[in-house]
Amino acid sequence: MRIESLQLQLALPAHRAASDWRRRILDHLRVHGEPLRWAITSVMDLPEGGSEVVIEAVMLQHGG
């Protein structure tokens, strides 16, 4: 096992509830490993509505 840092940009639609955003963020992070800790570090409004967020995470990588 090893620990890595990860930065991810993700568009979040305006019409979703905050709990849906959390689930979507975690689903995207889990593609890269097991998230140990994560935070939204930047938010930018999108012209078509919604937001683009930058997620910074500490990930646990299994294997390799």
Side-chain angles (χ1 to χ4, degrees), residues 1-8 25-26 28-41 54-62:
M1 281 188 268
R2 68 181 195 271
I3 295 175
E4 292 183 350
S5 63
L6 173 72
Q7 188 175 70
L8 176 71
I25 290 167
L26 286 170
H28 276 74
L29 287 173
R30 287 186 184 115
V31 170
H32 302 281
E34 180 183 341
L36 296 177
R37 194 173 286 277
W38 61 274
I40 298 171
T41 58
V54 174
I55 310 295
E56 293 185 21
V58 175
M59 307 293 293
L60 180 61
Q61 301 294 323
H62 297 280

Side-chain angles (χ1 to χ4, degrees), residues 11-56:
L12 298 174
H15 63 278
R16 301 283 174 113
S19 60
D20 292 336
W21 288 357
R22 185 177 194 283
R23 193 172 315 119
R24 183 173 175 163
I25 290 167
L26 286 170
D27 287 346
H28 276 74
L29 287 173
R30 287 186 184 115
V31 170
H32 302 281
E34 180 183 341
L36 296 177
R37 194 173 286 277
W38 61 274
I40 298 171
T41 58
S42 178
V43 179
M44 184 173 62
D45 290 334
L46 295 174
E48 63 274 8
S51 301
E52 180 178 87
V53 296
V54 174
I55 310 295
E56 293 185 21

